[in-house]
Amino acid sequence: MSEKIRFRIDGVVCESTKGQYIVDAARENGIYIPTLCNIEGVKPRGACRVCTVMVNGRPMTSCTTPVVDGMEIENDIPEIKEIRKAIIEVFFSEGNHFCPSCEKSGSCMLQALAYRFQVMAPRFPYEFPRKEIDASHPKIIKDQNRCILCKRCIKSIKDENGRSIFAYHGRGRHLEVRVDPELANKLTDELAQKAMDVCPVGSILVREKGYDTPIGERKYDTQPIGSEIENK
């Protein structure tokens, strides 16, 4: 039987299984910690840093830090909120995000977090980078303008032999997620849809599927992000 431990988040005593990551343990206790790169059941990488919390007075990513007995975690304090807000603003500044025309508007996690943290306009200057849209594949379109390099597609979208359909290419400011053309040509409809669903923004789209759900009826149109955890 798994060992149970106790820890505190913002003064609330919580119980969890020893070794469980903070973000998962918090979710089980009805506490929402925002993240853009983490996928439940997939090994975390700490790519986006939005899930940063204070652990015993030190900032740490909650998706890669296991809970231990007696741990003191601060999740809902001004310093952490400001860190998260700044990271979200950087994502908008570094890419070319135009929410009103995006097929993922209303289902986009980045957009939903911007609403939650009341981001009206980034404090950082827009870079307006020149990025391409790769529409050369039969099942999907890859829009580099919206990609936040979260690695969700790289970690979770693989063929029957375990090969990744997506991979990093380049370094530094030139880093981007590319699609393997040979593997993309063999994508099934189900895997293409999974790729679109796993992307937290509108960077991966199934062809001719972007507007299936009307605006106003999409996931975050009807309830704020995190409410499914906080209200359970």
Side-chain angles (χ1 to χ4, degrees):
M1 188 173 181
S2 300
E3 181 183 346
K4 293 292 184 179
I5 62 169
R6 289 192 171 188
F7 61 99
R8 285 147 83 79
I9 299 184
D10 296 325
V12 177
V13 178
C14 302
E15 189 176 80
S16 176
T17 305
K18 183 178 181 180
Q20 192 173 28
Y21 293 118
I22 292 173
V23 69
D24 298 321
R27 183 189 300 114
E28 287 188 0
N29 285 273
I31 297 170
Y32 174 65
I33 298 178
T35 177
L36 287 167
C37 69
N38 190 57
I39 308 172
E40 193 173 358
V42 178
K43 187 176 180 180
R45 296 294 183 187
C48 74
R49 319 308 264 191
V50 175
C51 73
T52 297
V53 294
M54 285 292 184
V55 178
N56 298 336
R58 297 175 59 188
M60 302 182 77
T61 51
S62 63
C63 71
T64 60
T65 306
V67 291
V68 297
D69 203 41
M71 181 180 274
E72 293 283 345
I73 302 165
E74 293 175 294
N75 172 58
D76 192 27
I77 59 174
E79 183 178 354
I80 289 299
K81 289 179 179 178
E82 185 59 29
I83 289 172
R84 292 171 179 167
K85 185 175 182 178
I87 292 171
I88 293 164
E89 291 178 10
V90 167
F91 282 134
F92 278 101
S93 299
E94 286 184 336
N96 298 316
H97 300 275
F98 189 61
C99 295
S101 67
C102 180
E103 295 88 339
K104 206 79 177 276
S105 181
S107 300
C108 172
M109 294 176 68
L110 179 62
Q111 180 192 50
L113 284 177
Y115 282 125
R116 182 178 177 109
F117 287 92
Q118 299 181 350
V119 175
M120 302 302 291
R123 74 195 81 176
F124 310 108
Y126 288 103
E127 292 190 358
F128 299 114
R130 183 170 181 173
K131 297 189 176 184
E132 302 299 324
I133 299 175
D134 181 4
S136 63
H137 311 293
K139 300 284 187 184
I140 60 172
I141 296 170
K142 180 70 174 72
D143 190 340
Q144 303 293 4
N145 292 284
R146 303 166 181 173
C147 184
I148 59 172
L149 304 174
C150 68
K151 234 179 164 183
R152 287 168 66 117
C153 59
I154 296 174
K155 292 189 295 179
S156 59
I157 307 301
K158 302 177 185 294
D159 70 2
E160 65 275 9
N161 297 315
R163 295 177 297 179
S164 295
I165 311 295
F166 302 87
Y168 278 152
H169 178 83
R171 301 182 66 182
R173 66 185 293 110
H174 302 294
L175 180 67
E176 62 183 20
V177 174
R178 293 270 184 93
V179 187
D180 185 295
E182 181 182 345
L183 297 181
N185 285 337
K186 300 175 183 177
L187 265 181
T188 62
D189 291 337
E190 292 75 19
L191 200 55
Q193 185 62 52
K194 182 181 178 182
M196 180 174 173
D197 292 340
V198 84
C199 180
V201 290
S203 183
I204 302 172
L205 301 172
V206 174
R207 287 181 175 274
E208 302 178 6
K209 289 274 288 182
Y211 294 101
D212 274 5
T213 305
I215 293 175
E217 299 177 16
R218 299 178 183 181
K219 184 174 182 179
Y220 302 119
D221 290 336
T222 57
Q223 60 178 358
I225 192 169
S227 60
E228 72 281 4
I229 296 172
E230 294 169 329
N231 298 332
K232 71 177 182 179

